[in-house]
Amino acid sequence: MNHDVPLLWARQVVASRPSESGQLQRVLHETTLKVRAGEVLAVVGHSGSGKSSLLRLFNRLLEPDRGEILLAGEDITNISPPALRARIPLVSQKPFLFPGTVRDNLQAPAKLRRNVLPDLEDPELLELLELCHVDSSWLDRDARKLSVGQQQRVCLARAMVGPCQALLLDEPTSALDRPTADQLALTFRQLAKEKGLAIVFVTHDLRLTERCADRIAFLMNGAIIEEGYSSQILNHPTTAEVRSFLSLELSDDVEVVE
């Protein structure tokens, strides 16, 4: 695979969504963004800046008004939404698990698509479970009785059982304690590098961003106002808006020790 060619590429995308009053409201303005295979991109910004809308455009949970999105050079409008979402799954903020065991959950996507069920003893699938830190001893446990961190790992593994090429994560660590979030950050990096995935996640968590993102795109009012390598954005932001955001988030993150 040519790592210089974007795996995900949003080109001049404009998008709108209904507001609370029912009126269409522009949420993204002429947005261009590239994510390469093996790369982790953090999309950061204030609430309402358009982060989640951008995430949902990548697998057609939201359709653009204008512009195009490419997956490995192919316009995603040429791919059916179910097939696209198998290739670019989205893992939501709160883990969602079907009733039943971890095994049932890992096989659920294949059942829904009426595909052959994955062999959970297959070495490649076992390697995936190990990468996601899903212990094989969990397979016959009730999935909904796992800890929140364990459930999130099962959701990650489930999303990748199939033809996954890119992974979309919406505030993936917001429900987790700090040690668990730090472990998950390492998992994201391992998945990107070892599976060649393009990973895009939206977050307010600067600690997570620093630990696992290769690049950052900062959104404000539906437009990317700063983009670059994580170390550059976090340590030497060029815009006043990003400096203000970082100082506010860092001050909120200070732990009080009594």
Side-chain angles (χ1 to χ4, degrees):
M1 181 178 294
N2 185 348
H3 287 249
D4 291 330
V5 176
L7 183 58
L8 284 178
W9 192 356
R11 301 201 295 197
Q12 296 295 303
V13 171
V14 175
S16 303
R17 293 182 71 174
S19 65
E20 291 183 2
S21 65
Q23 298 294 315
L24 275 181
Q25 179 178 357
R26 183 65 52 82
V27 291
L28 285 172
H29 307 271
E30 302 290 340
T31 299
T32 294
L33 195 62
K34 300 177 182 180
V35 194
R36 291 175 172 80
E39 185 174 56
V40 182
L41 173 75
V43 180
V44 179
H46 295 287
S47 296
S49 61
K51 303 187 302 297
S52 293
S53 296
L54 175 59
L55 205 64
R56 281 155 176 72
L57 283 165
F58 281 120
N59 71 355
R60 298 186 65 187
L61 289 170
L62 177 66
E63 299 285 1
D65 302 330
R66 295 198 306 273
E68 63 181 357
I69 297 174
L70 306 179
L71 171 62
E74 182 179 6
D75 190 323
I76 65 170
T77 59
N78 296 329
I79 308 170
S80 71
L84 180 67
R85 290 165 196 160
R87 293 168 67 182
I88 315 178
L90 186 149
V91 178
S92 61
Q93 181 174 352
K94 293 182 180 178
F96 170 78
L97 293 167
F98 297 102
T101 65
V102 171
R103 185 188 305 274
D104 294 331
N105 272 269
L106 293 173
Q107 294 181 329
K111 288 181 181 177
L112 291 172
R113 299 184 197 117
R114 299 183 180 180
N115 293 339
V116 176
L117 296 186
D119 177 5
L120 298 184
E121 303 303 319
D122 180 84
E124 190 171 334
L125 198 144
L126 289 172
E127 180 188 8
L128 170 63
L129 296 184
E130 186 177 347
L131 266 177
C132 294
H133 298 277
V134 173
D135 196 297
S136 59
S137 67
W138 304 354
L139 287 175
D140 295 311
R141 290 176 60 183
D142 186 331
R144 292 183 171 180
K145 291 186 177 178
L146 298 174
S147 71
V148 176
Q150 290 170 335
Q151 289 183 27
Q152 193 72 304
R153 292 184 181 282
V154 172
C155 288
L156 270 177
R158 183 181 62 193
M160 294 179 59
V161 176
C164 178
Q165 292 175 272
L167 197 57
L168 309 175
L169 306 168
D170 191 356
E171 296 282 2
T173 61
S174 62
L176 306 179
D177 59 47
R178 179 160 283 179
T180 305
D182 288 348
Q183 291 173 0
L184 209 57
L186 178 60
T187 299
F188 298 151
R189 289 198 66 83
Q190 289 176 319
L191 289 172
K193 306 308 177 190
E194 297 188 29
K195 292 293 185 181
L197 300 180
I199 295 183
V200 184
F201 69 93
V202 302
T203 188
H204 289 90
D205 187 343
L206 295 181
R207 182 184 176 89
L208 173 67
T209 301
E210 183 178 25
R211 283 176 173 259
C212 73
D214 298 298
R215 291 190 304 113
I216 296 172
F218 188 91
L219 253 65
M220 176 168 280
N221 298 324
I224 296 175
I225 64 168
E226 194 164 343
E227 181 185 356
Y229 290 110
S230 296
S231 57
Q232 178 65 33
I233 300 289
L234 292 173
N235 297 311
H236 307 287
T238 60
T239 62
E241 292 87 352
V242 176
R243 286 195 293 271
S244 174
F245 175 85
L246 292 177
S247 64
L248 179 62
E249 291 297 315
L250 288 171
S251 66
D252 287 345
D253 197 41
V254 172
E255 295 184 0
V256 177
V257 179
E258 295 182 354

